[in-house]
Amino acid sequence: MTDTASWAALLRVHAAVVPALDQELQSRCGLPLTWYDVLLELSSAPSGRLTMGELGQVAVVSRSRVSRVVGELEAAGLVERVVNEEDRRSLVAAITPAGRNRLRRAAPVYLSGIEREFTRHLGGDKDVVARALERVLAAQAGSKAKPGPG
Amino acid sequence: MTDTASWAALLRVHAAVVPALDQELQSRCGLPLTWYDVLLELSSAPSGRLTMGELGQVAVVSRSRVSRVVGELEAAGLVERVVNEEDRRSLVAAITPAGRNRLRRAAPVYLSGIEREFTRHLGGDKDVVARALERVLAAQAGSKAKPGPG
DNA sequence: AAAGATTGACTAGTCAATCTTC
DNA sequence: GAAGATTGACTAGTCAATCTTT
């Protein structure tokens, strides 16, 4: 087991599984993974709304991509975008009932895809893997917030 | 720990770490991650040469992308592309001395980046994570090779 | 003048059509 | 006619310039 085996495996798993799930979601639910990502974050936010900036923080899709994706979702009637009355510089994206519906229909497809293509094969190591990867994220977040003495 | 925590964490780690390593490699060595990927596979092949198809199999970068990347590498003098005498339909890409040199200079930068951004945080779970992710890959490869009875 | 957000222009990556060899 | 590979046309994603509000 070399030093980079875990990293190489992560890259390959991502390259193999993401396109598979994306295609399945798209063909069976008419929903690309980026839409799912954004709708899920909105639906799990209290009252189903977040500013574009907040959405960029929590979603996997990058901040720079969020404007485009929300634009697409708005055109599809799954999200509404309104000015934030607390700070009129910013906009809040709010999931619509149609958006919640679409997400609800897509969820089982995505979840079972994740299980079939990924989680199932982790077996008893699932939680160890999750916690280990979350430590990587915590370190990233920390180094961004405060690039202090390394 | 939900059922999808490990998957969500993998997506986020990828989204955070890949751009960081790519930028570092590019700014310090003038080498995008895709170039590194291809050069590494060629350099570790016996005699430093693979057909384009083989390269598409082993590299992380997709088969459809390989032609473009090898074209760029050839223009930069890091790879040569010659017809395969055993089967004149196919081309073999061969890493040049300049390519090996560039890879040799980039390797420590990439390896230390992986350690700093990723492996370090896995701690004692490093090998468990590697083996778990490799099981996912093995399953993928299997289901592609023979999509038989599930 | 700084923060939030969008948009036009650019780069990376994919897909289908094509070309050559088997 | 199928396999290996490239390429033009398209889609996804990024970056810098811009606009509005604070």
Side-chain angles (χ1 to χ4, degrees):
Chain A
M1 191 76 60
T2 79
D3 254 17
T4 57
S6 53
W7 177 246
L10 185 143
L11 289 179
R12 288 185 152 80
V13 166
H14 187 276
V17 176
V18 167
L21 295 180
D22 193 17
Q23 269 188 245
E24 182 178 11
L25 211 45
Q26 190 137 12
S27 64
R28 293 183 52 187
C29 312
L31 199 71
L33 202 46
T34 51
W35 287 24
Y36 188 97
D37 177 28
V38 167
L39 287 178
L40 178 63
E41 292 300 339
L42 287 179
S43 93
S44 47
S47 80
R49 49 183 59 225
L50 290 171
T51 69
M52 298 301 287
E54 290 165 341
L55 193 48
Q57 297 282 323
V58 296
V60 174
V61 69
S62 74
R63 173 66 190 90
S64 71
R65 189 79 183 98
V66 164
S67 289
R68 315 259 189 202
V69 173
V70 170
E72 294 164 7
L73 287 166
E74 192 173 36
L78 306 180
V79 155
E80 277 176 351
R81 202 162 24 175
V82 297
V83 294
N84 181 5
E85 289 303 331
E86 300 173 18
D87 178 349
R88 300 179 57 82
R89 286 174 304 183
S90 73
L91 301 180
V92 297
I95 191 170
T96 64
R100 288 199 190 268
N101 241 313
R102 188 76 86 84
L103 181 61
R104 199 176 299 121
R105 282 195 296 117
V109 173
Y110 189 40
L111 296 181
S112 71
I114 293 170
E115 171 68 16
R116 166 174 39 80
E117 303 284 338
F118 183 70
T119 322
R120 171 180 167 72
H121 309 291
L122 302 183
D125 299 327
K126 182 182 67 169
D127 290 357
V128 173
V129 170
R131 279 191 286 263
L133 293 178
E134 280 161 5
R135 288 198 299 276
V136 175
L137 289 174
Q140 267 275 340
S143 73
K144 278 196 175 175
K146 193 188 184 210
Chain B
M1 192 74 61
T2 79
D3 254 15
T4 57
S6 53
W7 177 246
L10 185 144
L11 289 178
R12 289 185 151 80
V13 166
H14 187 276
V17 175
V18 168
L21 295 180
D22 192 18
Q23 268 188 246
E24 182 178 11
L25 211 45
Q26 189 136 14
S27 64
R28 292 183 53 187
C29 312
L31 200 72
L33 203 43
T34 50
W35 288 23
Y36 188 97
D37 178 27
V38 167
L39 288 177
L40 179 62
E41 292 301 339
L42 288 179
S43 92
S44 47
S47 78
R49 49 183 58 225
L50 291 172
T51 68
M52 298 301 287
E54 290 166 341
L55 192 48
Q57 297 282 323
V58 297
V60 174
V61 69
S62 75
R63 172 67 190 88
S64 72
R65 189 80 183 98
V66 163
S67 290
R68 314 259 189 202
V69 173
V70 170
E72 294 164 7
L73 286 166
E74 192 172 36
L78 306 181
V79 156
E80 277 175 350
R81 203 163 20 177
V82 298
V83 295
N84 181 5
E85 289 302 332
E86 300 172 18
D87 179 347
R88 299 180 59 81
R89 287 175 301 184
S90 74
L91 301 180
V92 298
I95 189 169
T96 63
R100 288 200 191 268
N101 240 314
R102 188 76 86 83
L103 181 61
R104 200 176 297 123
R105 283 195 295 118
V109 172
Y110 188 40
L111 295 181
S112 73
I114 293 169
E115 170 69 15
R116 167 173 39 81
E117 302 286 337
F118 183 69
T119 322
R120 171 181 166 72
H121 309 292
L122 302 182
D125 299 326
K126 182 182 66 169
D127 290 356
V128 173
V129 170
R131 280 191 287 262
L133 293 178
E134 280 160 6
R135 289 197 299 275
V136 175
L137 288 175
Q140 268 274 335
S143 74
K144 276 196 176 175
K146 191 185 185 213

